Amino acid sequence: MAQSNVKINSKNVKYNIQDYIESVDKQNKLYRKTLIIIIISQIFGGAGLSAGVTVGALLAQDMIGSDSLAGLPTALFTLGSAAAAFIVGRLSQRLGRRVGLTAGFFAGGVGAIGVIIAAILDQLPLLFISLFIYGAGTATNLQARYAGTDLAGPTQRAKAISMAMVFTTFGAVAGPNLIDVMSKFAESIGVPPLAGPFMLASAAFLLAGTVLLIMLRPDPFIIAKGIAEAQQNRPGHAGQGQAAPQITAANKRGIVIGATVMVLTQIVMVAIMTMTPVHMKSHGHGLGEVGIVIGIHVAAMYLPSLITGVLVDKLGRTTMSYMAGLTLLAAGLLSALAPADSMLLLTLALALLGLGWNFGLISGTAQIVDATTPSTRAKTQGSVDVLIAIAGASGGAMSGAIVAHSSYTTLSLLGGILSLLLIPIIVWERSKRQPR
């Protein structure tokens, strides 16, 4: 077998890629080990991302004194997420998942600390800058789902994505339900109550980064690149001796469809989710009730992942993308029609919102992985996640303005209608494909 040109001789990395290239058993063991490490980091990362989702808008509302800019925090940390997705993707492509993901989580932890300081000092500029940096943790938590697919086979990819996502649920659900506890703790030490959840976020993101820094060795992406290169140079291979294959026209179509699915589902989910806490608070619901609704919403975003992964692998990426559009439509309609004082209907609406997002993210992510090779995969994934983050930022920014100038009902109806665009867009794009 041809020797791989990829060598790891650093004193800090004590493994030989060739050993993994020559042993399928070692590849499988590393695949399983990687999933376990990603799962551990996702538990912490999930707790970190839920703070901004749950109380970011409320904190800004208190400091600004206006509902019209309540969507700005989501827009800021989502824009920060976009910048981080690009950087983490490039770092992962060049240096491996361990370096890229660790850097992203550490940045998110620093941003959360900045939010706490801004709340104490009542400094809006610092709050906005810190929320932007905090977004790095959100982007990294999302990008970690790709690490589980690096050594997965084509029929394992959606399940690998779902394994990474489902364990985010434990932290992501615990976070909103610890709002009261963290708020009271913050108040007891002289910190504004709404900054309390960001204390949890800072510790969670830093722990997630530490887990990856210490445990993610060997790096699955570096191994995957070595395996792909060895296969490319194998005698008799059609591309022997050539440079690593770039993205083809057919693959670009797959990337376009996967990105479109994730972008539209992100816009709808973020827009409705962002303004739900503000809508509930303005109608007399307390922080505890807000935490329950958002906690169930986040659970629906991640907990069904194992079943979704199996369905995506069995029924196909396209079928589950259609299901994402229909589920988000149901969520938008129920959010619009539910009485503001009905905890049950609001909870159900937000649960459907999370489930539709789950369908869209896993089916879209699987299409992106299918359409890329290790030579371009991480940076392509990072670029797609930039689009997702920008979409979320747009949804968050527009949501506050729509509610301020119209109503939460209008916002929910618009979100439901927008989600339906998934179906004609996918049908149109698929009709453009040339027959094999």
Side-chain angles (χ1 to χ4, degrees):
M1 179 180 291
Q3 294 288 313
S4 170
N5 292 326
V6 182
K7 300 292 184 182
I8 300 293
N9 296 318
S10 169
K11 64 182 180 180
N12 295 321
V13 186
K14 299 179 180 179
Y15 60 88
N16 188 335
I17 290 181
Q18 193 64 36
D19 293 341
Y20 289 88
I21 293 172
E22 295 174 350
S23 173
V24 175
D25 184 55
K26 281 196 170 186
Q27 292 174 27
N28 290 333
K29 285 181 179 178
L30 180 57
Y31 166 65
R32 291 190 294 269
K33 175 187 173 185
T34 299
L35 280 180
I36 292 170
I37 295 166
I38 293 300
I39 284 168
I40 295 171
S41 72
Q42 290 295 84
I43 292 173
F44 292 123
L49 70 88
S50 62
V53 168
T54 309
V55 300
L58 298 178
L59 179 60
Q61 185 185 38
D62 277 1
M63 293 178 68
I64 297 170
S66 169
D67 286 352
S68 62
L69 295 178
L72 188 57
T74 300
L76 284 169
F77 70 66
T78 313
L79 282 174
S81 177
F86 182 86
I87 295 169
V88 169
R90 263 52 182 181
L91 279 174
S92 298
Q93 186 70 51
R94 294 190 62 183
L95 303 173
R97 300 286 187 192
R98 175 173 164 265
V99 173
L101 297 177
T102 297
F105 274 130
F106 281 176
V110 170
I113 293 171
V115 171
I116 298 166
I117 296 172
I120 293 171
L121 301 178
D122 196 23
Q123 290 291 319
L124 274 176
L126 178 59
L127 174 69
F128 294 154
I129 293 170
S130 298
L131 284 169
F132 182 85
I133 299 171
Y134 167 81
T138 305
T140 307
N141 194 77
L142 195 57
Q143 283 220 8
R145 75 195 188 279
Y146 289 120
T149 69
D150 288 331
L151 295 170
T155 59
Q156 297 175 306
R157 286 168 180 162
K159 285 179 281 190
I161 296 163
S162 67
M163 286 290 290
M165 288 180 60
V166 73
F167 282 91
T168 306
T169 309
F170 294 99
V173 173
N177 286 288
L178 289 173
I179 287 177
D180 276 342
V181 175
M182 295 304 300
S183 296
K184 290 174 182 176
F185 172 74
E187 194 170 21
S188 71
I189 59 173
V191 175
L194 288 175
F198 284 94
M199 295 180 176
L200 174 65
S202 62
F205 280 154
L206 293 173
L207 281 170
T210 301
V211 166
L212 293 168
L213 178 66
I214 295 172
M215 300 177 67
L216 198 60
R217 305 174 188 227
D219 192 293
F221 187 69
I222 292 175
I223 298 296
K225 285 201 294 184
I227 293 170
E229 182 180 324
Q231 291 174 343
Q232 184 76 9
N233 292 327
R234 185 176 296 154
H237 190 279
Q240 183 184 5
Q242 298 179 7
Q246 298 301 307
I247 297 175
T248 65
N251 286 347
K252 285 180 181 178
R253 293 190 192 98
I255 293 170
V256 167
I257 293 177
T260 300
V261 170
M262 291 190 284
V263 164
L264 282 179
T265 54
Q266 185 78 357
I267 290 175
V268 175
M269 188 276 291
V270 170
I272 296 175
M273 174 202 67
T274 297
M275 295 312 298
T276 297
V278 176
H279 173 66
M280 292 181 66
K281 187 179 178 184
S282 66
H283 286 84
H285 294 282
L287 280 179
E289 291 175 310
V290 171
I292 291 171
V293 171
I294 296 300
I296 291 174
H297 164 70
V298 175
M301 288 172 65
Y302 295 99
L303 195 57
S305 294
L306 286 178
I307 297 172
T308 303
V310 173
L311 292 174
V312 170
D313 281 335
K314 295 290 185 183
L315 301 180
R317 281 58 164 149
T318 301
T319 299
M320 293 307 295
S321 296
Y322 293 154
M323 287 300 299
L326 293 172
T327 306
L328 289 172
L329 172 64
L333 292 175
L334 188 55
S335 296
L337 299 174
D341 60 351
S342 175
M343 272 288 292
L344 177 62
L345 292 180
L346 283 173
T347 301
L348 180 58
L350 268 288
L352 287 172
L353 187 70
L355 183 63
W357 178 86
N358 179 271
F359 289 166
L361 187 75
I362 294 181
S363 60
T365 299
Q367 291 181 77
I368 297 297
V369 177
D370 291 343
T372 53
T373 62
S375 63
T376 59
R377 182 166 292 155
K379 64 181 182 181
T380 302
Q381 290 164 342
S383 298
V384 170
D385 277 7
V386 170
L387 296 177
I388 296 171
I390 291 173
S394 302
M398 291 187 298
S399 64
I402 291 172
V403 171
H405 292 92
S406 183
S407 66
Y408 178 78
T409 298
T410 301
L411 173 70
S412 300
L413 287 174
L414 288 174
I417 294 169
L418 181 61
S419 66
L420 275 187
L421 287 177
L422 278 175
I423 296 175
I425 286 173
I426 296 171
V427 170
W428 174 74
E429 183 61 36
R430 286 174 64 84
S431 70
K432 292 172 59 181
R433 297 186 184 185
Q434 299 293 326
R436 293 185 179 181

